[in-house]
Amino acid sequence: MKIAILAGDGIGPEIVAQAVKVLKALARDGLRLELEEAPFGGAGCDAHGDPLPETTLKLARAADAVLCGAVGGPKYDALPRPQRPEQGILRIRKALGLFANLRPAVLFPELVGASTLKPEVVSGLDIMIVRELTGDIYFGEPRGRRMNAHGEREGYDTMLYSEPEIRRIAEIGFRAALKRGKKLCSVDKENVLETSRLWREVVNDVAKKYPQVALSHLYVDNAAMQLVRDPRQFDVIVTGNLFGDILSDEASMLTGSIGMLPSASLDAGGKGLYEPVHGSAPDIAGRDAANPLAAILSSAMMLRYTFNKDEWACRIEAAVKSVLAQGCRTADIYEAGTRKVGTGAMGDAVVAAL
Ligand code: NAD
């Protein structure tokens, strides 16, 4: 199992080091891994003048999976757009054909107080949002600005999905549901959008292959409402790029703590890029204060979704749960009565709990 490690900037290297610690601990128990690091984001600009240096892309292409930290920081904010660290992320997603974004929103029982929702509504929350990442109104043509017949300025975009694009993301949704609670909710706006009408038809067709999965459909406005009204009704949600962008942020915030949220972006063959949802947090970088659990949980997703090593993924997740149950907290999730630890100590605690 060949893994490219792209730690990036800010807290990226600090949190990725903890995920690597965890993977190396599993390697000592027999998991066969090969890890190789390369500069990425601002670090790529510093080393090679490019946020995604050729050698880094080559390594990422050759690997089975990529583990990223985060990129960006004030030092790079004045660079021209193509050299901005964030361009590295967009380019690597495109180069690797990563069209499926998986974002779990899990609320650990110990952190129920961090959510803005009442404990009785949100405790036990465990949702997976599967978002299409390379199509929809963000990429559809034509798009642009023009003057209309009345001499007024107009902006326009095109919402567009082809049947194969819908089919492949639906497949990912059904397969994710099979690995979890076997419920899939497809979110669209079928009552007003042609794109959504096709979306629903194709999802219903793919469903015939997965009789074990209970499929439902919701309009996106209702889905947004249901996520705050009764989020535990959901297991896996599959949706397009635009709706998924909004709903995945909404769902992740139900958990209240950005330092806990992993993500995966997958290609058609299961190769994936795994990264925390959060950014490089320059405000706390270099202070041993970042929460490494999102990065550690990203490595668990990697074992599950790219390598099909569910048992090893569960071991990491169980270790994280156990560390939280012991009262270990980084500053972002600290509350009275728990024990504040730094980034490195949190990583060590997870390794000890394995
Ligand atoms: P951010 O996610 O980096 O930080 C937002 C807030 O959350 C900050 O207060 C930060 O301290 C805190 N935070 C984030 N991760 C944390 C963790 N693991 N533990 C504890 N606290 C944590 O978002 P931002 O401040 O808007 O962006 C900072 C930089 O990151 C920018 O350059 C931005 O472009 C970049 N960014 C990168 C990615 C990525 O690499 N995928 C994503 C988002 C933002």
PDB file of all heavy atoms in Angstrom, residues 9-11 42 46 71-80 83-86 279-285:
ATOM      1  N   ASP A   9       1.215  23.098   4.700  1.00  0.00           N
ATOM      2  CA  ASP A   9       1.650  24.304   5.424  1.00  0.00           C
ATOM      3  C   ASP A   9       0.943  24.443   6.780  1.00  0.00           C
ATOM      4  O   ASP A   9      -0.012  23.738   7.072  1.00  0.00           O
ATOM      5  CB  ASP A   9       1.298  25.543   4.597  1.00  0.00           C
ATOM      6  CG  ASP A   9       1.722  25.396   3.148  1.00  0.00           C
ATOM      7  OD1 ASP A   9       2.860  24.955   2.916  1.00  0.00           O
ATOM      8  OD2 ASP A   9       0.899  25.677   2.251  1.00  0.00           O
ATOM      9  N   GLY A  10       1.400  25.459   7.536  1.00  0.00           N
ATOM     10  CA  GLY A  10       0.757  25.786   8.811  1.00  0.00           C
ATOM     11  C   GLY A  10       0.758  24.582   9.734  1.00  0.00           C
ATOM     12  O   GLY A  10       1.793  23.950   9.957  1.00  0.00           O
ATOM     13  N   ILE A  11      -0.431  24.227  10.220  1.00  0.00           N
ATOM     14  CA  ILE A  11      -0.511  23.061  11.108  1.00  0.00           C
ATOM     15  C   ILE A  11      -0.437  21.742  10.332  1.00  0.00           C
ATOM     16  O   ILE A  11      -0.371  20.672  10.960  1.00  0.00           O
ATOM     17  CB  ILE A  11      -1.815  23.069  11.957  1.00  0.00           C
ATOM     18  CG1 ILE A  11      -3.070  23.024  11.069  1.00  0.00           C
ATOM     19  CG2 ILE A  11      -1.848  24.269  12.896  1.00  0.00           C
ATOM     20  CD1 ILE A  11      -4.358  22.753  11.834  1.00  0.00           C
ATOM     21  N   GLY A  42       2.112  25.782  -0.105  1.00  0.00           N
ATOM     22  CA  GLY A  42       3.152  26.795   0.105  1.00  0.00           C
ATOM     23  C   GLY A  42       4.532  26.163   0.161  1.00  0.00           C
ATOM     24  O   GLY A  42       5.508  26.724  -0.355  1.00  0.00           O
ATOM     25  N   ASP A  46       7.827  27.130  -1.960  1.00  0.00           N
ATOM     26  CA  ASP A  46       9.152  27.403  -1.375  1.00  0.00           C
ATOM     27  C   ASP A  46      10.234  26.528  -2.007  1.00  0.00           C
ATOM     28  O   ASP A  46      11.317  26.990  -2.320  1.00  0.00           O
ATOM     29  CB  ASP A  46       9.130  27.143   0.141  1.00  0.00           C
ATOM     30  CG  ASP A  46       8.297  28.180   0.879  1.00  0.00           C
ATOM     31  OD1 ASP A  46       8.040  29.254   0.296  1.00  0.00           O
ATOM     32  OD2 ASP A  46       7.890  27.903   2.030  1.00  0.00           O
ATOM     33  N   VAL A  71      -3.106  23.410   3.252  1.00  0.00           N
ATOM     34  CA  VAL A  71      -2.201  24.339   2.586  1.00  0.00           C
ATOM     35  C   VAL A  71      -2.649  25.774   2.804  1.00  0.00           C
ATOM     36  O   VAL A  71      -3.787  26.036   3.158  1.00  0.00           O
ATOM     37  CB  VAL A  71      -2.101  24.060   1.068  1.00  0.00           C
ATOM     38  CG1 VAL A  71      -1.597  22.659   0.803  1.00  0.00           C
ATOM     39  CG2 VAL A  71      -3.438  24.305   0.381  1.00  0.00           C
ATOM     40  N   GLY A  72      -1.706  26.679   2.563  1.00  0.00           N
ATOM     41  CA  GLY A  72      -2.023  28.111   2.605  1.00  0.00           C
ATOM     42  C   GLY A  72      -1.475  28.787   3.843  1.00  0.00           C
ATOM     43  O   GLY A  72      -1.031  28.141   4.787  1.00  0.00           O
ATOM     44  N   GLY A  73      -1.497  30.120   3.780  1.00  0.00           N
ATOM     45  CA  GLY A  73      -1.013  30.904   4.909  1.00  0.00           C
ATOM     46  C   GLY A  73      -0.710  32.312   4.455  1.00  0.00           C
ATOM     47  O   GLY A  73      -0.563  32.554   3.252  1.00  0.00           O
ATOM     48  N   PRO A  74      -0.601  33.241   5.399  1.00  0.00           N
ATOM     49  CA  PRO A  74      -0.417  34.657   5.062  1.00  0.00           C
ATOM     50  C   PRO A  74       0.799  34.907   4.174  1.00  0.00           C
ATOM     51  O   PRO A  74       0.776  35.775   3.302  1.00  0.00           O
ATOM     52  CB  PRO A  74      -0.217  35.329   6.425  1.00  0.00           C
ATOM     53  CG  PRO A  74      -0.504  34.314   7.463  1.00  0.00           C
ATOM     54  CD  PRO A  74      -0.654  32.984   6.835  1.00  0.00           C
ATOM     55  N   LYS A  75       1.844  34.092   4.367  1.00  0.00           N
ATOM     56  CA  LYS A  75       3.077  34.257   3.597  1.00  0.00           C
ATOM     57  C   LYS A  75       2.813  34.154   2.086  1.00  0.00           C
ATOM     58  O   LYS A  75       3.549  34.716   1.277  1.00  0.00           O
ATOM     59  CB  LYS A  75       4.053  33.158   4.043  1.00  0.00           C
ATOM     60  CG  LYS A  75       5.395  33.173   3.368  1.00  0.00           C
ATOM     61  CD  LYS A  75       6.286  32.075   3.918  1.00  0.00           C
ATOM     62  CE  LYS A  75       7.469  31.848   3.007  1.00  0.00           C
ATOM     63  NZ  LYS A  75       8.201  30.619   3.314  1.00  0.00           N
ATOM     64  N   TYR A  76       1.769  33.409   1.719  1.00  0.00           N
ATOM     65  CA  TYR A  76       1.523  33.137   0.303  1.00  0.00           C
ATOM     66  C   TYR A  76       0.345  33.928  -0.271  1.00  0.00           C
ATOM     67  O   TYR A  76       0.022  33.804  -1.445  1.00  0.00           O
ATOM     68  CB  TYR A  76       1.280  31.635   0.097  1.00  0.00           C
ATOM     69  CG  TYR A  76       2.347  30.790   0.740  1.00  0.00           C
ATOM     70  CD1 TYR A  76       2.114  30.139   1.944  1.00  0.00           C
ATOM     71  CD2 TYR A  76       3.611  30.689   0.163  1.00  0.00           C
ATOM     72  CE1 TYR A  76       3.102  29.390   2.558  1.00  0.00           C
ATOM     73  CE2 TYR A  76       4.619  29.949   0.769  1.00  0.00           C
ATOM     74  CZ  TYR A  76       4.351  29.304   1.970  1.00  0.00           C
ATOM     75  OH  TYR A  76       5.332  28.570   2.579  1.00  0.00           O
ATOM     76  N   ASP A  77      -0.283  34.744   0.589  1.00  0.00           N
ATOM     77  CA  ASP A  77      -1.516  35.420   0.161  1.00  0.00           C
ATOM     78  C   ASP A  77      -1.300  36.414  -0.974  1.00  0.00           C
ATOM     79  O   ASP A  77      -2.220  36.682  -1.748  1.00  0.00           O
ATOM     80  CB  ASP A  77      -2.194  36.120   1.352  1.00  0.00           C
ATOM     81  CG  ASP A  77      -2.935  35.119   2.231  1.00  0.00           C
ATOM     82  OD1 ASP A  77      -3.049  33.955   1.808  1.00  0.00           O
ATOM     83  OD2 ASP A  77      -3.359  35.488   3.348  1.00  0.00           O
ATOM     84  N   ALA A  78      -0.060  36.966  -1.077  1.00  0.00           N
ATOM     85  CA  ALA A  78       0.182  37.987  -2.099  1.00  0.00           C
ATOM     86  C   ALA A  78       0.625  37.380  -3.436  1.00  0.00           C
ATOM     87  O   ALA A  78       0.796  38.101  -4.422  1.00  0.00           O
ATOM     88  CB  ALA A  78       1.240  38.959  -1.592  1.00  0.00           C
ATOM     89  N   LEU A  79       0.811  36.053  -3.482  1.00  0.00           N
ATOM     90  CA  LEU A  79       1.274  35.424  -4.728  1.00  0.00           C
ATOM     91  C   LEU A  79       0.198  35.517  -5.805  1.00  0.00           C
ATOM     92  O   LEU A  79      -0.995  35.541  -5.492  1.00  0.00           O
ATOM     93  CB  LEU A  79       1.574  33.938  -4.479  1.00  0.00           C
ATOM     94  CG  LEU A  79       2.820  33.594  -3.669  1.00  0.00           C
ATOM     95  CD1 LEU A  79       2.878  32.096  -3.403  1.00  0.00           C
ATOM     96  CD2 LEU A  79       4.075  34.037  -4.423  1.00  0.00           C
ATOM     97  N   PRO A  80       0.616  35.555  -7.093  1.00  0.00           N
ATOM     98  CA  PRO A  80      -0.390  35.516  -8.156  1.00  0.00           C
ATOM     99  C   PRO A  80      -1.196  34.212  -8.076  1.00  0.00           C
ATOM    100  O   PRO A  80      -0.681  33.196  -7.608  1.00  0.00           O
ATOM    101  CB  PRO A  80       0.438  35.568  -9.446  1.00  0.00           C
ATOM    102  CG  PRO A  80       1.866  35.539  -9.052  1.00  0.00           C
ATOM    103  CD  PRO A  80       1.986  35.630  -7.585  1.00  0.00           C
ATOM    104  N   GLN A  83      -0.008  30.547  -8.470  1.00  0.00           N
ATOM    105  CA  GLN A  83       0.986  30.049  -7.500  1.00  0.00           C
ATOM    106  C   GLN A  83       0.440  29.941  -6.091  1.00  0.00           C
ATOM    107  O   GLN A  83       1.149  29.557  -5.173  1.00  0.00           O
ATOM    108  CB  GLN A  83       2.191  30.986  -7.486  1.00  0.00           C
ATOM    109  CG  GLN A  83       3.132  30.762  -8.655  1.00  0.00           C
ATOM    110  CD  GLN A  83       4.032  31.972  -8.847  1.00  0.00           C
ATOM    111  OE1 GLN A  83       4.495  32.569  -7.882  1.00  0.00           O
ATOM    112  NE2 GLN A  83       4.251  32.330 -10.088  1.00  0.00           N
ATOM    113  N   ARG A  84      -0.814  30.290  -5.898  1.00  0.00           N
ATOM    114  CA  ARG A  84      -1.391  30.219  -4.554  1.00  0.00           C
ATOM    115  C   ARG A  84      -1.492  28.751  -4.129  1.00  0.00           C
ATOM    116  O   ARG A  84      -1.851  27.888  -4.928  1.00  0.00           O
ATOM    117  CB  ARG A  84      -2.800  30.849  -4.538  1.00  0.00           C
ATOM    118  CG  ARG A  84      -2.813  32.343  -4.805  1.00  0.00           C
ATOM    119  CD  ARG A  84      -2.392  33.145  -3.582  1.00  0.00           C
ATOM    120  NE  ARG A  84      -3.380  33.059  -2.519  1.00  0.00           N
ATOM    121  CZ  ARG A  84      -4.417  33.882  -2.380  1.00  0.00           C
ATOM    122  NH1 ARG A  84      -4.569  34.870  -3.239  1.00  0.00           N
ATOM    123  NH2 ARG A  84      -5.262  33.737  -1.399  1.00  0.00           N
ATOM    124  N   PRO A  85      -1.166  28.478  -2.867  1.00  0.00           N
ATOM    125  CA  PRO A  85      -1.182  27.091  -2.395  1.00  0.00           C
ATOM    126  C   PRO A  85      -2.496  26.362  -2.671  1.00  0.00           C
ATOM    127  O   PRO A  85      -2.503  25.189  -3.047  1.00  0.00           O
ATOM    128  CB  PRO A  85      -0.965  27.241  -0.891  1.00  0.00           C
ATOM    129  CG  PRO A  85      -0.232  28.525  -0.729  1.00  0.00           C
ATOM    130  CD  PRO A  85      -0.702  29.409  -1.829  1.00  0.00           C
ATOM    131  N   GLU A  86      -3.631  27.081  -2.544  1.00  0.00           N
ATOM    132  CA  GLU A  86      -4.949  26.449  -2.729  1.00  0.00           C
ATOM    133  C   GLU A  86      -5.114  25.913  -4.159  1.00  0.00           C
ATOM    134  O   GLU A  86      -5.871  24.970  -4.392  1.00  0.00           O
ATOM    135  CB  GLU A  86      -6.075  27.449  -2.412  1.00  0.00           C
ATOM    136  CG  GLU A  86      -6.151  27.870  -0.940  1.00  0.00           C
ATOM    137  CD  GLU A  86      -5.110  28.918  -0.525  1.00  0.00           C
ATOM    138  OE1 GLU A  86      -4.319  29.375  -1.377  1.00  0.00           O
ATOM    139  OE2 GLU A  86      -5.088  29.261   0.675  1.00  0.00           O
ATOM    140  N   GLY A 279      -8.518  24.063   7.338  1.00  0.00           N
ATOM    141  CA  GLY A 279      -7.375  24.629   6.632  1.00  0.00           C
ATOM    142  C   GLY A 279      -6.097  24.570   7.465  1.00  0.00           C
ATOM    143  O   GLY A 279      -5.988  23.769   8.404  1.00  0.00           O
ATOM    144  N   SER A 280      -5.139  25.439   7.130  1.00  0.00           N
ATOM    145  CA  SER A 280      -3.799  25.339   7.721  1.00  0.00           C
ATOM    146  C   SER A 280      -3.675  26.093   9.042  1.00  0.00           C
ATOM    147  O   SER A 280      -2.607  26.105   9.644  1.00  0.00           O
ATOM    148  CB  SER A 280      -2.773  25.871   6.720  1.00  0.00           C
ATOM    149  OG  SER A 280      -3.092  27.224   6.418  1.00  0.00           O
ATOM    150  N   ALA A 281      -4.760  26.728   9.486  1.00  0.00           N
ATOM    151  CA  ALA A 281      -4.839  27.384  10.797  1.00  0.00           C
ATOM    152  C   ALA A 281      -3.557  28.130  11.181  1.00  0.00           C
ATOM    153  O   ALA A 281      -2.936  27.810  12.195  1.00  0.00           O
ATOM    154  CB  ALA A 281      -5.202  26.357  11.872  1.00  0.00           C
ATOM    155  N   PRO A 282      -3.149  29.133  10.386  1.00  0.00           N
ATOM    156  CA  PRO A 282      -1.894  29.833  10.697  1.00  0.00           C
ATOM    157  C   PRO A 282      -1.899  30.471  12.088  1.00  0.00           C
ATOM    158  O   PRO A 282      -0.840  30.648  12.679  1.00  0.00           O
ATOM    159  CB  PRO A 282      -1.802  30.918   9.611  1.00  0.00           C
ATOM    160  CG  PRO A 282      -3.024  30.842   8.796  1.00  0.00           C
ATOM    161  CD  PRO A 282      -3.806  29.631   9.159  1.00  0.00           C
ATOM    162  N   ASP A 283      -3.097  30.756  12.607  1.00  0.00           N
ATOM    163  CA  ASP A 283      -3.170  31.394  13.933  1.00  0.00           C
ATOM    164  C   ASP A 283      -2.628  30.512  15.051  1.00  0.00           C
ATOM    165  O   ASP A 283      -2.227  31.016  16.097  1.00  0.00           O
ATOM    166  CB  ASP A 283      -4.622  31.837  14.245  1.00  0.00           C
ATOM    167  CG  ASP A 283      -5.653  30.725  14.075  1.00  0.00           C
ATOM    168  OD1 ASP A 283      -5.412  29.806  13.271  1.00  0.00           O
ATOM    169  OD2 ASP A 283      -6.696  30.778  14.755  1.00  0.00           O
ATOM    170  N   ILE A 284      -2.612  29.185  14.843  1.00  0.00           N
ATOM    171  CA  ILE A 284      -2.109  28.310  15.918  1.00  0.00           C
ATOM    172  C   ILE A 284      -0.926  27.448  15.472  1.00  0.00           C
ATOM    173  O   ILE A 284      -0.468  26.588  16.220  1.00  0.00           O
ATOM    174  CB  ILE A 284      -3.226  27.403  16.478  1.00  0.00           C
ATOM    175  CG1 ILE A 284      -3.878  26.577  15.359  1.00  0.00           C
ATOM    176  CG2 ILE A 284      -4.287  28.228  17.220  1.00  0.00           C
ATOM    177  CD1 ILE A 284      -4.767  25.451  15.901  1.00  0.00           C
ATOM    178  N   ALA A 285      -0.430  27.691  14.246  1.00  0.00           N
ATOM    179  CA  ALA A 285       0.648  26.845  13.710  1.00  0.00           C
ATOM    180  C   ALA A 285       1.913  26.967  14.561  1.00  0.00           C
ATOM    181  O   ALA A 285       2.235  28.039  15.067  1.00  0.00           O
ATOM    182  CB  ALA A 285       0.940  27.245  12.271  1.00  0.00           C
TER     183      ALA A 285
END
